[in-house]
Amino acid sequence: MSSQQKQSVSRAADAPAAHEPAGPRPARLSAAAALTAAEGLALAALGAYMLIMGLAGAPDSAQQAEMGGLTVLALAVLPLVAARGLWLRRRWSRGPSLITQIVALPVAWTLVHGGGALIAAGIGLAVAALVVLVLLVNPTATEALGIGPREAP
C-alpha cells in the first residue's frame, strides 16, 4: 500500500460519520423503497430467466437471448440500488427511483396492449409505478430524504 493510500485511509477513519437522518423512517418512504425493490427483483428474475433460456433452451438466436438477459440484469441494478438508498434515507436515491418509475409507465402501456396475461402484468406495473411516484413526491418523503422546498431568490 502506498503512502498516499495510507493517508487517505487514515483521513477516512478520522472523518466524522455521515449524517444520519433523525427520527423514524416514514411509512411512505418504506413503501416506496419496498415497491422499487420489488420492481428490481422482478427485473432480475426476468433477466435470469432470459439468460437461462438463452443458454439451456432453444431460442431462435442464443446470442440475442443471452445478451437480452444480461441487459435486463444490468437494468435491474438501478431500481435495486435506488431502493436501498431510499431505505437508508439517502438523498440521491430519489432521482434514480423516479427515473425507474417514469420508464416503467411506457413498459406497462406496452404490456397492456400485448393481450392475455400481459394485461394483468401491465396494470400491476402501472399501478406500482404510479404509487411510487406519488409516494416520492409527497412532502413527508422529501423531508425524510433531506430534500426541502426551494427558497425564492
Side-chain angles (χ1 to χ4, degrees), residues 26 28-29 94 98 131-145 147:
R28 290 180 173 122
L29 193 57
R94 184 173 176 244
L98 288 172
V131 167
V132 173
L133 284 170
V134 169
L135 291 172
L136 289 178
V137 298
N138 185 284
T140 305
T142 57
E143 288 173 16
L145 292 170
I147 303 169

Side-chain angles (χ1 to χ4, degrees), residues 25-127:
R25 180 184 315 103
R28 290 180 173 122
L29 193 57
S30 297
L35 283 171
T36 303
E39 291 170 342
L41 290 173
L43 271 175
L46 176 63
Y49 174 79
M50 289 173 65
L51 190 59
I52 291 168
M53 288 289 96
L55 293 170
D60 292 338
S61 171
Q63 184 179 9
Q64 282 183 343
E66 292 163 12
M67 187 53 83
L70 289 174
T71 302
V72 174
L73 281 172
L75 290 173
V77 172
L78 181 65
L80 291 172
V81 169
R84 185 171 191 280
L86 289 173
W87 188 260
L88 297 174
R89 295 170 67 176
R90 301 292 189 254
R91 178 182 208 156
W92 58 263
S93 62
R94 184 173 176 244
S97 185
L98 288 172
I99 290 168
T100 299
Q101 307 318 314
I102 291 168
V103 169
L105 291 172
V107 173
W109 180 263
T110 303
L111 289 172
V112 167
H113 289 289
L118 294 178
I119 294 173
I123 291 171
L125 179 59
V127 168

